[in-house]
Amino acid sequence: MEAKNGKFAIIQTMTETTAKKVTPLLFDTYMTMVENSIGTNMFRTAYAEVDGERKDVTLNGGLSCAFFVSSVLTILKLIKEIHITVAGTVRDLENSGWVEIQEPRVGAVIVWKVFDSGDGDPHPHIGFSLGEDEVISNSKEYGYPIKHKIDHRDREVEKIFWHEKLNQ
């Protein structure tokens, strides 16, 4: 039965739409989030109180790699919480069902060994594999995620993680 003002047809269409079976595609959503993160300033700054003072602990994006990776993974419930450090992110990966694998694959989380970029502040690094030796990780130079080669700046990969929920 259609109402004279056409509202019934709209309601019927909405009901038909919501009655359809919707199955979230985790891997597709995950990879699209990672790829769409390139150039975003969203992960550039994280504040904490350090010795009673408010500080940007990511140094204007210079140390935002773990903040970026853990934020994406937390949004999709692939880890438990957001982290500022690579060590905290790796612990959460291990406690959330991620396992080490030998070769990078699309969607894997890559952890690089501690690296001194010449500024006297060596630190590990973390990002996402796009496959074929390409990754997305936060750039210390730009302060936001960029696409680059897995061996960018001669960094050595330390660990590669995979979660079974990403299997298609």
Side-chain angles (χ1 to χ4, degrees):
M1 184 164 130
E2 185 161 326
K4 292 180 183 177
N5 61 9
K7 286 184 181 176
F8 180 77
I10 293 170
I11 292 170
Q12 185 177 12
T13 302
M14 287 173 46
T15 303
E16 289 171 358
T17 301
T18 57
K20 292 180 181 176
K21 181 180 179 188
V22 177
T23 304
L25 300 174
L26 178 63
F27 182 80
D28 294 342
T29 301
Y30 169 66
M31 289 310 301
T32 300
M33 284 180 73
V34 170
E35 291 169 1
N36 286 342
S37 69
I38 295 173
T40 185
N41 286 310
M42 184 174 178
F43 309 104
R44 184 178 209 100
T45 309
Y47 291 100
E49 191 173 301
V50 179
D51 294 330
E53 291 186 40
R54 178 181 179 258
K55 300 263 186 189
D56 170 11
V57 293
T58 57
L59 304 178
N60 196 31
L63 296 176
S64 291
C65 64
F67 185 40
F68 160 53
V69 169
S70 66
S71 293
V72 170
L73 297 175
T74 301
I75 288 168
L76 296 171
K77 299 180 181 176
L78 291 167
I79 62 173
K80 294 173 184 69
E81 60 188 7
I82 295 172
H83 300 274
I84 301 301
T85 66
V86 173
T89 306
V90 168
R91 273 191 305 278
D92 203 346
L93 288 167
E94 292 170 341
N95 292 329
S96 298
W98 290 77
V99 295
E100 282 191 56
I101 59 174
Q102 295 303 306
E103 295 294 322
R105 61 190 280 191
V106 176
V109 173
I110 307 294
V111 179
W112 288 269
K113 291 182 179 180
V114 173
F115 178 78
D116 186 350
S117 60
D119 61 2
D121 184 26
H123 57 275
H125 191 60
I126 193 167
F128 297 103
S129 174
L130 298 176
E132 298 187 26
D133 293 329
E134 286 198 316
V135 297
I136 293 177
S137 72
N138 197 76
S139 166
K140 181 174 185 169
E141 293 78 20
Y142 298 109
Y144 52 76
I146 63 168
K147 183 190 294 188
H148 58 86
K149 294 292 183 189
I150 197 166
D151 60 357
H152 177 67
R153 300 182 71 182
D154 294 324
R155 281 191 178 237
E156 252 185 276
V157 172
E158 180 176 13
K159 295 181 180 184
I160 305 167
F161 288 98
W162 182 255
H163 200 292
E164 67 180 11
K165 287 183 181 177
L166 299 176
N167 293 332
Q168 291 185 324

